[in-house]
Amino acid sequence: MAAEDIFGPLGDPSRHLALDELEGRLGALRAAPRDSGRLAVVVRRVPDKIREAPDRVELRPGGGVPGDAWGQQANANPEAELTVMQVELAELIANGQPLTVFGDNLFLEMDLSAENLPVGSRVRIGRSVLEVTAKPHNGCRKFAARFGQDALRLVSKPELRHRNLRGIYMRVVEAGEAALGDPVEVLSRPAAAGP
């Protein structure tokens, strides 16, 4: 039985790291690609808190990941269509837990910092085009339950907020298929905020 089946969306408390350990690992992390990377993981949150990790999805404007809990909401916020995390940061925080525990939709090998991908930046993933929205993606009580209070402290530190350690929100602007391993390419950044 996989760890995600045992611990579900609650996570494994024995995997929680202390803040000093998280900070040390964060400092040792290699720099993420800024202009091009790849799609590492796709997650769909379905009823009964089950998480699926499909190999490919057809992303459409206003649709998010097909079948995901976001699309099942009566008043789904278009600014929160897709939740996206940098895969290396997610692996650091998960500390051996499956990435599906996060509940985020897309995990990318790419620098998601505000300097690299400011609001309005567009990226191509496979055949789809996504845009960074203004909605902040913050840690919450669920995040703390899954990864510990120290993980929440890390992603919430004011001096690190610009790095978007908890991730970002994106919306689909051009429909298209995205599959594991597909290239991720920055298409545009707002003129005044380029890296």
Side-chain angles (χ1 to χ4, degrees), residues 74-164:
N75 296 312
N77 182 348
E79 293 286 298
E81 188 173 355
L82 296 167
T83 52
V84 182
M85 269 194 92
Q86 181 184 331
V87 68
E88 296 88 355
L89 286 169
E91 289 170 340
L92 182 155
I93 292 167
N95 191 33
Q97 297 182 78
L99 298 185
T100 54
V101 172
F102 281 94
D104 291 78
N105 300 119
L106 305 176
F107 293 85
L108 308 181
E109 286 180 0
M110 178 161 279
D111 178 350
L112 302 181
S113 70
E115 292 85 3
N116 193 50
L117 291 179
V119 172
S121 297
R122 290 190 173 193
V123 299
R124 179 177 303 285
I125 300 179
R127 295 184 176 188
S128 64
V129 176
L130 311 180
E131 182 178 85
V132 177
T133 71
K135 181 173 174 56
H137 190 18
N138 300 317
C140 62
R141 63 179 174 76
K142 290 180 185 178
F143 183 85
R146 293 170 186 153
F147 306 107
Q149 286 295 329
D150 284 346
L152 180 59
R153 284 187 195 98
L154 178 75
V155 301
S156 302
K157 284 183 137 191
E159 65 271 24
L160 296 176
R161 281 298 299 146
H162 70 283
R163 292 184 63 182
N164 292 324

Side-chain angles (χ1 to χ4, degrees), residues 176-192:
E177 185 180 78
L180 298 186
D182 273 354
V184 176
E185 174 190 6
V186 176
L187 298 177
S188 66
R189 296 176 177 99

Side-chain angles (χ1 to χ4, degrees), residues 2-13 16 43-52 69 97-104 140-148 166:
E4 63 190 322
D5 295 327
I6 296 169
F7 300 107
L10 298 177
D12 178 358
H16 296 177
V43 177
R44 175 178 23 240
R45 299 161 301 166
V46 296
D48 298 325
K49 303 189 184 302
I50 295 171
R51 307 264 168 74
E52 299 174 344
Q97 297 182 78
L99 298 185
T100 54
V101 172
F102 281 94
D104 291 78
C140 62
R141 63 179 174 76
K142 290 180 185 178
F143 183 85
R146 293 170 186 153
F147 306 107
R166 179 58 192 97

